[in-house]
Amino acid sequence: MAKRIVVVGAGHVGLYTALRLSRKLKSREAEIIVIDPQPHMTYQPFLPEAAAGNISPRHAVVPLRRILRNKCTVITGLVTSVSAKTKTLTIQPLVGPEWETGFDHIIVAPGSVSRTLPIPGLKENAIGFKTIGEAIYLRNQVLAQLDIAASTADLATRRRALTFVFVGGGFAGIEALAEMADMVDDGLRYYPELDRKDLRWVLVEASEKILPEVGLELGAYTAVQLVERGMDVRLSTRLESCVDGKVVLSDGDTFESDTIVWTAGVKPHPMLDSTDLPRDERKRVTCDAYLRVIENGAPLDGVWSAGDCARVPDLSLADTDPDATCAPNAQHAVRQATRLADNIAAVVRGQEPKEYRHKYAGSVASLGLHKGVAYLFGFKIRGIPAWWVHRTYHMSRIPSLNRKVRVVADWTLALFLKREVIALGQLQAPKHEWREDSF
């Protein structure tokens, strides 16, 4: 009888695992069900370029029903509970009542959400940067501020509109900041009322360094590059408040901004609160090196996890740090998905699973068009070569030939055509005119 394999979450881990399982297992061996609140997988490394208009936002997402067609059952809904003991889960579809189903194997991979802090005004005035919706919103917001600044004679209003604050010096924050700055630089040619010196880009990072994944030297190089581009880089500085757009920093500086982007880390998805799965002090699902969920050192039958929401031992560091765990990044997620699919396929066929063990390849980051840093196999790369490596790597990682071709086509057209710098602000409130003018 075919085993029922349920995949909770269609991010990097969920989608790649489902794809590999569908190729390794025949339909008589397994029925694969993929559940996610969104009908697509977001390739998050492309969010900065999607926000900046280098690629179409549609090309940074992968439609689940297209890529999993005839291979998996896709359910668009939210998993509201999981019981490892009874091997059941409850699903809330987009419309209609909840329903319950069982499983033989379950992959719990809902991913992560932005890790926010109880900072006054943060919820009301800031925006995260983890979804395609947030990327589109940020693009519209930044471009709208140029229109506001160019259309007012009030200096305080202009100064507030042209001040852009990014909190968090990791990949998401640095790449979003750099791409947005490039987009605005391109757009200024259409705003004769504005001058580049009127812009203020502020990066706020609580630690003493940025981009720690690429090493201290390249992180310092990145900071220098940002400063040379006229950006205000604040290290060892915290955001204390942003009530009504009034930004208060821990170094005592205060100013106003209508654009505050929060990229200061992630935390496991709150969906995990509705499960009986064992978790650590950081709310991550506890796993062994085989990617099995473990409780008191023993694996739970048929329960697996990986990715941002999971505490997976990093065996590559076991000799120097026995307690080391895998970082919540796309590189680990994609590699864990491969091992996870192979292990489940092995167990379904009565074979033994293998440990997840990886060799660190390095990290890459874009600093805007034709700029980047990369640390690969011990080599430090800067500038255009690093930018090219960044694009090449992520183009190779995004699922499906369809998306690869479309992304390359976007990049190719950008070589000959000027960047589109149009704000579609009505997307934020599409019913405003309908409500105001029609009744």
Side-chain angles (χ1 to χ4, degrees), residues 189-208:
R189 64 166 64 93
Y190 309 116
Y191 293 87
E193 307 89 347
L194 304 180
D195 191 280
R196 194 175 187 279
K197 69 178 185 299
D198 297 329
L199 299 169
R200 186 180 185 188
W201 300 92
V202 184
L203 174 67
V204 180
E205 169 54 44
S207 70
E208 298 178 349

Side-chain angles (χ1 to χ4, degrees), residues 28-88:
R28 57 180 170 78
E29 292 179 292
E31 171 196 10
I32 304 169
I33 301 173
V34 179
I35 309 169
D36 195 274
Q38 299 296 329
H40 59 257
M41 173 262 206
T42 301
Y43 191 74
Q44 292 183 354
F46 278 156
L47 287 183
E49 292 205 57
N54 292 330
I55 63 176
S56 168
R58 293 173 300 162
H59 301 161
V61 298
V62 181
L64 299 182
R65 294 185 182 276
R66 171 184 289 178
I67 196 169
L68 298 174
R69 183 180 55 193
N70 302 327
K71 298 177 180 179
C72 305
T73 299
V74 176
I75 298 175
T76 305
L78 181 69
V79 173
T80 57
S81 70
V82 175
S83 173
K85 295 179 175 60
T86 62
K87 286 198 168 187
T88 59

Side-chain angles (χ1 to χ4, degrees), residues 168-237:
F171 284 120
I174 296 297
E175 292 186 352
L177 168 64
E179 292 288 355
M180 288 294 99
D182 273 358
M183 179 187 72
V184 170
D185 285 347
D186 284 349
L188 285 179
R189 64 166 64 93
Y190 309 116
Y191 293 87
E193 307 89 347
L194 304 180
D195 191 280
R196 194 175 187 279
K197 69 178 185 299
D198 297 329
L199 299 169
R200 186 180 185 188
W201 300 92
V202 184
L203 174 67
V204 180
E205 169 54 44
S207 70
E208 298 178 349
K209 55 188 177 181
I210 59 176
L211 289 184
E213 297 87 351
V214 299
L216 185 60
E217 181 180 336
L218 290 179
Y221 167 83
T222 299
V224 170
Q225 293 299 306
L226 296 178
V227 171
E228 288 182 349
R229 292 172 64 180
M231 298 180 185
D232 185 356
V233 178
R234 306 288 185 97
L235 302 182
S236 301
T237 305

Side-chain angles (χ1 to χ4, degrees), residues 324-335:
T325 59
C326 296
N329 57 41
Q331 185 178 144
H332 275 301
V334 173
R335 294 182 176 190

